[in-house]
Structures are given as C-alpha cells and as structure tokens.
Amino acid sequence: MRRHVLPLLVVLATLVSSAHAAAPVHLAAEPFPLTQVRLLDGPFRDAMLRNERYLLSLEPDRMLHNFRVNAGLPAPGEPYGGWEGPHSEVRGHTVGHYISACALTYASTGDERFKERVNVMVAAFAQCQAALASQVSHPGYLSAFPESFIDRVETGKPVWAPWYTIHKIMAGLLDAAQLCGNPQALPMAVQMADWVNSRVSHLSVAQMQASLGTEFGGMNEVLANLYAITGNPEHLRLAEAFNHRKIFDPLERGEDHLDGIHANTQIPKIIGAARQYELTGDPNDRRLADFFWQEVALHRSYVIGGDSDEEHFFPVQDFARHLTAQTCETCNTYNMLKLTRHIFEWEPEARVMDFYERALYNHILASQDDNGMFAYFLSLKPGHFKTFSTPENSFWCCVGTGMENHAKYGDTIYFHSDNALYVNLFIPSELSWPEKHLHLRQETQFPDSDVTRLSFEATPPTSFDLKIRWPSWSDTLSIRINGKNQKISGAPSSYVTLHRRWREGDSVAIQLAQKLRTESLPGDTNLVATLRGPIVLASILGTNGVPHQETPDQLDLVKISDPPLSPEANAPLVPLYKIKQERYVVYRDNSGPK
C-alpha cells in the first residue's frame, strides 16, 4: 500500500508561491529570430545544405512507424534501425529532433518543403495521440514506446530514458508551433503536459526526486518553454518538479561535484534552470547555471570546446589520461552552446562568445562528413580518426542533435538590445532588423581571411550602437568606417562600440590578427594544441588503415588498432573542421626527446 503523501504539485505550489513570484527577467541582449538571418556562401552554409539533403532523404512513414504501431494504427513502411529500431527503448527521440530540425531549417531558409514535412509529421502525431487516449492512464500521451516505461522509472526498474524521449517530442511540437505556425502542435503539447501532470502529481517530492536518477533530458526546459507560451502556472510548477536537487543544490552553493557523472545527462537540466530564471527571476537558478557554465566551459573542456571522455566528466587534473577515441560527445556541445546563449543574454560578455565560437567551429562544424552524417564522439586520441553515423541504421542522440546543429547556424551571429547590435561571429550572412529599418550584409572568408566587411542599408538613417566582438585570440583589431580608420578603445575579449547614425551605403571593415599559438592540455604543459586565431589545427597523418567511417554503432571503431604514428615534424597542419577521412593529431607531445 502506498503511504499517504501530499501530491507533488500541491507541495510545489506552496514552495513556488513562498519562494518567489514569477516575474520575467529583462534580458540584456536577445537573439534575432532565425527568419531574420540568412547564411551566405561559406562553410556553415555548406554544412546546412548537406543537412538539408539528409533531412529530405528521410521518409516520414518510416520515421513514424513505431509511433503508429504503439498507437495500434496501420504502420506503412519499414522502421529505421539503430536507436530508432522497434526494440530500442529510446525509439522516437530522433523523430522529435527531426521535427525541430525541419522547423529550424524552414525558419533559416523559408523553404516550404520543410514546413510541409513538419505538417505531415504533426498530423500523424495527432492521429497517434488521439488513438492512444483511451489506452493509457490519461489522455495526452504520445510516444513510440508503451506508457509502462514510465512505470519502470517510478518504480526504479531499469529503463533507457523515456522522459528524455518525451522531452524531444514535446520540443519538436513547440518548434512546429512557433517556427512553422502549425495549428495542431501547441494543443498537442498542452495535452502532453496534462498527461505529464497526471503521472507526477501522485508522487511525493522524495519519490519524484528519486525518479530523476533516470536520465530525463530537458523536461524542465520544455515545460518552462510551454509556460512561457501559455502562461499557465501549472506548466511552470511541472517544470520545477523536474529540477534535480541532487545536482542543483551543490551548484547553487558553488560546489563542483561533477567528477564521474554522465555529462550530457546534466547539461539539459542546467538549461532548464537557466530558462526558469528568465521566467521567474529566481537568483538560485541563475547562480547554479552560471557556476556550471564556468566549470564546464572554462575548466572541463578540451581545446575544441567539447568535454567528457566516455560520456563522463573526470577530475580536471586527469586530462592527460583522457585523450581517447571517446572524447567530446557532440550532444554535450550542442547543449553547452544552448546554455552559453542564455549566459550571454544575461550579461553579454565577449569571453562567453569566445567559447561559443571555439566550440562552434572546432566541434560542431567538425562533426559532419561530406555526406551530411554525424559524429557521436570527436576523437582526440593521437593518430585516430572521426567516426560518423549511417543514413538509416544509427540514429544516435548525436544524430538527433546534429540535425538541429546544422539547421540553425544563424541563431547567434547577431544579438541585439533595444538600441545596440552585437556582431558576435564572423560568418557570411545577412540580417534584417525591421524595427531599425536596417538590412546588414556581412561578407567574409573568415577564418581563411582576417577581414570581414559589414554593409548597411538603412532607410531612413537610424542610430544605434554597433558592438563588434574583439576576440581573445586577436592582439589587435582595426576598424574602418567608409574607408576611414577609427580610433577604438578596448582590449581582447571585449566589445568595441561604434555609435553613429547609420545611413544607406555605410560600410565597416574589421581586421583581426590571427596568429599561430599553442594551448596546453589542462594540467599538462607538455601536451599542446596549435591554433590559428580560434581555429584548432591538427596534424594529418594520412588514411593508412582507416576503415569505412560510417558505422551503425558509435563504438564500432573506437578500439580499432591504430598503426604507429608517422613523424609529426613534416605532417601538414589543417583546420580540424576540414578533416573528414584522415588520421590526425590535435595534442602533440612538446616535451622534447625522452
């Protein structure tokens, strides 16, 4: 017999009302909608186009197969394999990512084919949700696996992350609603939240916290995002029910207890706390998110901006023992970049965007092959190589996040406040800012070139502060407006502010010094990586013994026998993001002869 306990939401309602009133935070800087930024020719647009081809190659009926089977509906088409296979306990997670990726691509390009895909997927989801309503404990359930998986979470029985998958499905619905204007998606997400409420409301706080020991993705984030749309306080209380106190409490106290724990399980939780801070103003949420970001971004990351080995955090003094083929899970960096955007919104500092740039170029851009496939781990084992997914039989977590990564490169190039425009990243692109009657075009071949040019169309003329990031990696920065050198103040890792009334035809030329430099592996000054500007360079060692790199299982090739390293003295250095097939070395031993 279950002991009598106060329902979780009753307890949470009391705690929420006594702790803080929900009051949204005024953000110091905000991103522009993806619809207002368009990529121009360059490596990021190339990656986006490869991703688009892959998204369109996937067949909706095959993606939806397991959802329809679970709902008892006819299921045409063969299911895909790997993590989307009919016996995988996380089947359906990629489908949520897929809807998000198509919605992001539509927002980034305006290509109606991706909106049509979203609408097809959501309509099928609606049929499944309706069919399941009479089969489950409460209407609103939607998944490709049975509801009994949630029973296993609540009773502490082994199961592979069902809440994680529910998060991806709900996030996909919210993206469909917000980015594509799909009329079915938001009511379906609300129904899913009603079902979530029915599942957790009978649990005590202790029971709920125990259940959070099973990976649950960003349930606290997606429910907070739902609250931001609906204004329903029940959705905020549900979000806070998924705040994992075992992780949050030490972080609030400024204590790093991350050693040995699964890395990517934690990052989405922190994103949820960051989003809740923006919606409620609770300083504890900001405190823990800030501290976590600093610990991971500044102390627990490799030179490429990625973190973890074999998916786990490890003691910071042990980096030298963790140069393996299983470093830097790409999902981690996907999530760290999401968290970095929140940190920047609160206090727009160049050091935050310096990390974003490092991870974007050296991990995210480096995680895709020429066929648009995705890397799970980005190996830092000397002499190893990259491993990528297959088109139809992988569907790892990093395939799902990868679909999104290459669909939203325009989301952080520019931020703004009421009267300031932040140029964060030097990526060829166009920006429309209707409130300022401004169209801005950024033309650059960065990082192959040191120069980027901004061209203004502003009718009528408009006044605002143009804030240009002076990166930490550049000793000097020169700026010319309409051909005239500007006297600037500041230092590396800051923003240079140009205030003027911007007119039609104005142009700004920015030149940065990209010098060769080295960075030591944390805790070992003998192991160094080489960079030019923000770009990590790797010694390439040829393709000797490199197998076909697209493989169903992310671990298939991590223990493959590597031949002895060739002498590195004459090995060419190339940007890691450009390496596809070759063996490479990022960290080399600089200690001299033994």
Side-chain angles (χ1 to χ4, degrees), residues 150-201:
I150 302 297
D151 297 337
R152 289 158 63 184
V153 173
E154 293 179 359
T155 57
K157 295 178 180 177
V159 65
W160 189 10
W163 283 121
Y164 172 99
T165 301
I166 296 296
H167 161 227
K168 307 309 178 189
I169 296 167
M170 292 186 71
L173 289 172
L174 292 190
D175 285 335
Q178 294 188 290
L179 299 177
C180 297
N182 183 283
Q184 293 178 288
L186 180 58
M188 291 171 62
V190 170
Q191 290 179 58
M192 288 192 75
D194 291 344
W195 169 80
V196 174
N197 180 28
S198 76
R199 291 297 317 204
V200 305
S201 61

Side-chain angles (χ1 to χ4, degrees), residues 129-143:
Q129 190 179 49
L132 283 164
S134 61
Q135 305 175 37
V136 294
S137 62
H138 191 281
Y141 182 67
L142 174 62
S143 183

Side-chain angles (χ1 to χ4, degrees), residues 445-461:
Q445 293 182 327
F446 181 87
D448 294 334
S449 168
D450 293 341
V451 177
T452 190
R453 291 180 174 84
L454 308 177
S455 302
F456 292 78
E457 296 178 17
T459 305

